[in-house]
């Protein structure tokens, strides 16, 4: 499946905002950082310190190193690499031409001349030359022709090149199991009603009533509704999970949840969690429940950070 830029909900005249979502809260961001890096360090900063930066320092010709970015979006990844001293060629790609234009303007305004921005559809497009690093965030699970895409990426990696990926590995178009839906609702039912999408009254510190819980219970949107919003959304997460270890050598695979929290944007006041300690305290409860469900193997992480190597002996899907 290929999708045009006009069908892409992220291809808008203004940047997409995570405000009001779990990924937009400081507490969740710090939790993700610690899960991936062991410290409050962003995953790209961690990748730079552990792998990219040392490679640049070791190289006698660092300007010969090449990096491919998938899902460049607003250009923050290429900007961060350049700010850290990456002087090699960077090819930054995205299917959203409006976002690519903004990213290009931002990089040019900063004076970096080693970045080339391209509009690319990973279902069908390929890239010229070999790369030392490939970096992608939240793009691979949108690719219908995912095996072809992964094979293509592997073919354009130099020996021992590294691929850094932050990806969703949940079910097709968010069609969750009954087990997961019941845990989402059971967790939400514990929250004070003042943090739920309910009319305000003088019982904000009470849990919602049974009738109120039924009124605002989470239910997965039908697959066709997801497809109307974005034909590529959550298309190949489950397939991606199976293919990555068959096509690449896994250096690091670290899950960071999202199994409950990513579905609660319309059901819990995440925005408030950046503003007051009351909401933050209850968000910590949500995080603890999600972590416990994952650590006890009742549910699995849906968002995962990967470091993958283009190893000669890695099994290729057949």
């Amino acid at each position: 499946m290929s999708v045009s830029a006009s069908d892409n909900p992220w291809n808008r005249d203004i940047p997409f905002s995570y405000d009001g979502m779990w990924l937009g809260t400081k507490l969740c961001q710090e939790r993700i950082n610690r899960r991936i890096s062991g410290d409050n360090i962003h995953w790209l900063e961690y990748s730079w310190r552990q792998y990219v930066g040392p490679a640049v320092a070791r190289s006698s010709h660092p300007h010969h190193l090449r990096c491919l970015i998938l899902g460049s979006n607003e250009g923050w990844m290429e900007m961060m690499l350049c700010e850290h001293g990456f002087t090699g060629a960077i090819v930054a790609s995205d299917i959203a031409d409006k976002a690519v234009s903004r990213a290009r303007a931002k990089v040019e305004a900063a004076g970096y001349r080693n970045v080339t921005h391209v509009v690319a559809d990973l279902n069908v497009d390929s890239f010229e030359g070999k790369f030392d690093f490939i970096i992608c965030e939240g793009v691979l699970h949108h690719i219908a022709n995912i095996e072809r895409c992964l094979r293509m990426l592997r073919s354009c990696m130099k020996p021992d090149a590294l691929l850094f990926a932050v990806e969703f590995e949940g079910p097709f178009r968010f069609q969750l199991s009954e087990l997961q839906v019941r845990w989402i609702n059971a967790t939400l039912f514990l929250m004070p009603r003042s943090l739920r999408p309910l009319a305000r009254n003088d019982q904000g510190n009470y849990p919602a009533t049974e009738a109120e819980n039924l009124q605002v219970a989470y239910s997965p949107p039908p697959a066709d509704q997801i497809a109307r919003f974005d034909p590529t959304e959550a298309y190949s997460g489950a397939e991606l999970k199976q293919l990555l270890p068959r096509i690449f050598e896994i250096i690091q695979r670290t899950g960071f949840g999202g199994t409950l929290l990513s579905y609660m944007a319309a059901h819990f006041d995440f925005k408030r969690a950046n503003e007051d300690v009351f909401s933050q305290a209850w968000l910590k409860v949500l995080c603890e429940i999600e972590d416990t469900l994952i650590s006890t193997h009742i549910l699995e992480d849906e968002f995962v950070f990967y470091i993958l190597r283009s190893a000669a002996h890695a099994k290729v899907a057949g």
Side-chain angles (χ1 to χ4, degrees):
M1 176 186 298
S2 181
V3 60
S4 68
S6 61
D7 292 329
N8 188 332
W10 285 272
N11 195 37
R12 298 292 184 253
D13 292 328
I14 58 173
F16 182 81
S17 174
Y18 290 95
D19 189 36
M21 301 170 63
W22 72 298
L23 290 173
T25 66
K26 182 179 178 181
L27 188 150
C28 288
Q29 291 167 357
E30 292 178 351
R31 171 175 172 256
I32 293 168
N33 291 345
R34 291 192 178 90
R35 186 76 62 84
I36 291 173
S37 69
D39 200 350
N40 188 17
I41 301 172
H42 187 272
W43 67 265
L44 187 55
E45 177 70 27
Y46 167 72
S47 301
W48 173 268
R49 293 187 188 184
Q50 295 296 316
Y51 297 95
V52 182
V56 170
R58 289 192 305 267
S59 177
S60 55
H61 301 286
H63 57 284
H64 289 169
L65 296 173
R66 301 185 75 230
C67 178
L68 172 64
I69 294 176
L70 310 176
S72 167
N73 196 254
E74 300 297 322
W76 70 271
M77 288 182 280
E78 53 266 39
M79 285 289 293
M80 182 174 175
L81 290 176
C82 291
E83 290 166 358
H84 278 59
F86 191 93
T87 58
I90 299 174
V91 177
S93 72
D94 201 297
I95 197 172
D97 60 283
K98 293 180 181 179
V100 167
S101 294
R102 289 192 294 268
R104 182 185 295 115
K106 186 183 301 182
V107 169
E108 290 178 353
Y112 299 118
R113 301 292 178 248
N114 58 321
V115 183
T116 301
H117 286 91
V118 298
V119 176
D121 180 350
L122 297 179
N123 286 288
V124 296
D125 291 332
S126 299
F127 300 93
E128 294 183 1
K130 300 285 185 177
F131 296 90
D132 300 275
F133 306 104
I134 298 177
I135 302 174
C136 53
E137 181 185 41
V139 63
L140 296 177
H141 71 275
H142 288 271
I143 309 305
N145 197 1
I146 186 60
E147 183 168 347
R148 177 264 170 199
C149 174
L150 296 178
R151 287 177 181 268
M152 178 273 293
L153 294 176
R154 187 173 183 270
S155 72
C156 66
M157 294 171 72
K158 296 179 183 179
D160 291 325
L162 295 176
L163 189 158
F164 307 92
V166 176
E167 274 303 328
F168 170 79
E169 291 186 343
F172 176 75
R173 288 181 177 158
F174 307 133
Q175 298 309 289
L176 310 186
S177 68
E178 180 185 356
L179 175 65
Q180 189 172 354
V181 172
R182 288 178 64 178
W183 273 111
I184 290 170
N185 281 315
T187 304
L188 286 170
F189 293 172
L190 297 173
M191 297 295 105
R193 69 182 310 282
S194 63
L195 297 176
R196 308 287 305 287
L198 294 165
R200 296 292 179 256
N201 61 26
D202 59 359
Q203 295 186 331
N205 290 335
Y206 285 68
T209 66
E210 183 176 351
E212 287 173 329
N213 279 327
L214 289 174
Q215 176 187 336
V216 295
Y218 172 81
S219 179
D224 60 349
Q225 181 178 329
I226 298 296
R228 286 194 297 272
F229 167 75
D230 179 357
T232 72
E233 183 59 89
Y235 195 89
S236 62
E239 190 177 3
L240 184 66
K241 183 178 182 179
Q242 299 301 316
L243 286 172
L244 285 176
R246 295 171 59 190
I247 296 178
F248 301 94
E249 176 189 356
I250 296 179
I251 305 302
Q252 178 178 339
R253 180 186 185 277
T254 305
F256 55 90
T259 310
L260 304 183
L261 295 174
S262 66
Y263 300 101
M264 293 180 173
H267 298 266
F268 177 83
D269 193 349
F270 284 105
K271 186 175 182 179
R272 181 175 166 184
N274 281 327
E275 301 168 356
D276 69 75
V277 295
F278 178 83
S279 183
Q280 290 170 16
W282 284 100
L283 179 54
K284 289 179 182 178
V285 173
L286 293 179
C287 292
E288 287 291 334
I289 294 173
E290 180 176 272
D291 289 343
T292 301
L293 287 167
I294 292 168
S295 66
T296 57
H297 307 291
I298 294 174
L299 297 173
E300 296 182 341
D301 291 289
E302 288 196 352
F303 289 77
V304 182
F305 170 73
Y306 279 100
I307 302 176
L308 305 162
R309 193 195 306 277
S310 171
H313 60 275
K315 297 179 180 179
V316 179

